[in-house]
Amino acid sequence: MNKRRKRWLLVAVGAMVLLVFEARPAHAMHIMEGFLPPFWAAFWFVVTLPFWVIGLRRINRLIVEKPETRLLLGLAGAFTFVLSALKIPSVTGSSSHPTGTGLGTILFGPMVMSVLGTIVLLFQALLLAHGGLTTLGANAFSMAVVGPLVAWGIWKGLQDRAPIWLAVFLAAALANLATYVVTSAQLALAYPDATGGFVASFVKFGTIFAVTQIPLSISEGILTVLIFNALQRNAETELQTLGVLKGA
């Protein structure tokens, strides 16, 4: 990566960091601290743990084998941090927001993104009071595991069959929506409806989320396409090294 490209990426990361420290309402959060019963909080930690282990191994191998991609790794994490910190309250105990996991998934795959996304959630819980430590497993499973898996499946399925912008858009947008389908299910499992049980509770949470989440997912898809296009122009060699673009 030449100096001009490095400077462009550093400016982008710097702009994202500045956005993070912009004033925001204190009620903005993921599933908040202490909101899940102990059983479900522990359950989601256990379910997510294997993805963290595999993701850490892949990050270590990536840094050793392709050290030139470390700046892109940081950019993917910063992009996720900023977008997922922009919250719109929607359901008591949770919120709607972009996730930002589509870009990192396209660049590095879902396992690496499971670790990056969890680190983002951890910092947000500690520094911004978004989410919490007891709900870290649940938030990570929905945003850093399921969302990236959906994004990866769409990206790989459309990469050679559709315009690249469309593949990027759908990967980012549907990863966002998948995150909130899972979040709705998590909340419904923890708090089933007194009469309709899980299904009624899931429909209730999902319907409320949809009001804000559908336009957010479309916006995130568009933004991810813009960032990806900029990377194509300024970091083509690195994208080829990662196998994202042909010619690697």
Side-chain angles (χ1 to χ4, degrees), residues 75-76 79 100-108 113 168 172 224 227-228 231:
L75 177 65
F79 184 73
T101 58
L103 179 65
T105 301
I106 291 170
L107 297 178
F108 300 104
M113 199 63 232
V168 172
T224 305
I227 298 297
F228 187 86
L231 289 175

Side-chain angles (χ1 to χ4, degrees), residues 155 158-170:
W155 168 249
L158 296 179
Q159 186 177 12
D160 299 322
R161 298 178 177 86
I164 194 167
W165 68 265
L166 181 59
V168 172
F169 172 82
L170 290 176

Side-chain angles (χ1 to χ4, degrees), residues 107-226:
L107 297 178
F108 300 104
M111 297 303 167
V112 169
M113 199 63 232
S114 71
V115 175
L116 291 182
T118 300
I119 293 172
V120 164
L121 289 166
L122 179 61
F123 275 108
Q124 288 180 355
L126 294 176
L127 301 178
L128 304 178
H130 295 173
L133 298 180
T134 62
T135 57
L136 181 63
N139 289 326
F141 183 76
S142 62
M143 192 183 94
V145 173
V146 175
L149 287 174
V150 170
W152 186 247
I154 294 169
W155 168 249
K156 299 304 289 185
L158 296 179
Q159 186 177 12
D160 299 322
R161 298 178 177 86
I164 194 167
W165 68 265
L166 181 59
V168 172
F169 172 82
L170 290 176
L174 294 182
N176 182 304
L177 288 178
T179 295
Y180 281 91
V181 170
V182 174
T183 300
S184 297
Q186 290 172 325
L187 293 172
L189 285 169
Y191 299 102
D193 186 77
T195 56
F198 167 81
V199 174
S201 184
F202 176 77
V203 171
K204 178 184 69 176
F205 285 125
T207 301
I208 298 173
F209 273 134
V211 174
T212 52
Q213 207 58 44
I214 291 176
L216 278 175
S217 66
I218 295 172
S219 300
E220 179 174 342
I222 295 171
L223 177 60
T224 305
V225 169
L226 294 175

